[in-house]
Amino acid sequence: MNYDDFLHHPHPFLTGMCESHLRLLANNARQVHFPAGSRVFHEGDHAENFYLILRGKVVLQAHSAGHSVPIQTIGSGEVLGWSWLFPPYCWHFDAQAEQDTDALSFPASQLRDDCEIDKTFGYALMKQIAELLIHRLQATRLKLVEAHKIEHHVARPIGG
């Protein structure tokens, strides 16, 4: 990983973070690659990493009636995973690379330790993640509303 690029051209999720916080993150970042079709993580597994997607796409999937159901696609410039932050630190979905995907990976236990040691860093990271969660929840809400409209429209009797 190019340290200068990380500091001077941060991932969109890190935009606005101060240089000392970026340095803290850079010290623990490692580049990872997931070939198309490979699993990034499985539902129920221990959430050991936090990912910033650099290139590619990862689909989040839930299980329903024995089938995988796509929930969301995470692409370049986006964040993958926040389960590492909340006990019991287990993934709530499966994640599979839809395309060849490159990401920055951060060890979850180190991030949690860094947040405890440097409260200013922890607060800055939590603000970024809270904003991300709000956007993801709103997107999910809109999908549910749209699905309800489609279901209601399909269920309507002809001429009704």
Side-chain angles (χ1 to χ4, degrees):
M1 180 187 73
N2 184 321
Y3 195 76
D4 286 333
D5 279 349
F6 187 90
L7 293 177
H8 300 295
H9 305 288
H11 184 276
F13 176 75
L14 304 175
T15 301
M17 280 194 144
C18 72
E19 187 171 330
S20 65
H21 295 159
L22 290 175
R23 285 185 188 283
L24 187 60
L25 285 165
N27 288 334
N28 294 304
R30 67 181 177 94
Q31 288 186 295
V32 294
H33 176 77
F34 301 104
S38 67
R39 286 276 178 210
V40 178
F41 50 77
H42 292 278
E43 179 181 353
D45 285 353
H46 189 68
E48 297 178 352
N49 295 293
F50 171 58
Y51 301 97
L52 300 179
I53 305 299
L54 301 173
R55 179 188 67 85
K57 289 185 181 176
V58 174
V59 63
L60 294 177
Q61 301 168 329
H63 299 280
S64 178
H67 299 284
S68 291
V69 178
I71 301 296
Q72 186 174 23
T73 301
I74 310 297
S76 301
E78 294 185 287
V79 172
L80 178 62
W82 58 73
S83 298
W84 62 272
L85 186 55
F86 305 105
Y89 311 120
C90 293
W91 296 118
H92 297 280
F93 301 104
D94 286 347
Q96 182 173 341
E98 193 172 86
Q99 303 174 344
D100 282 354
T101 300
D102 295 314
L104 292 175
S105 175
F106 302 87
S109 61
Q110 184 64 52
L111 277 178
R112 288 190 300 269
D113 289 347
D114 290 343
C115 288
E116 286 296 324
I117 293 166
D118 183 340
K119 303 293 189 200
T120 305
F121 168 71
Y123 180 67
L125 187 60
M126 293 312 119
K127 284 193 332 186
Q128 295 293 93
I129 290 175
E131 185 176 330
L132 169 72
L133 287 171
I134 289 168
H135 288 291
R136 297 255 173 102
L137 288 170
Q138 289 296 342
T140 301
R141 183 184 69 79
L142 291 173
K143 283 184 183 183
L144 289 171
V145 167
E146 196 58 37
H148 178 71
K149 285 180 184 176
I150 291 169
E151 183 180 295
H152 183 68
H153 178 71
V154 171
R156 203 179 266 174
I158 297 175

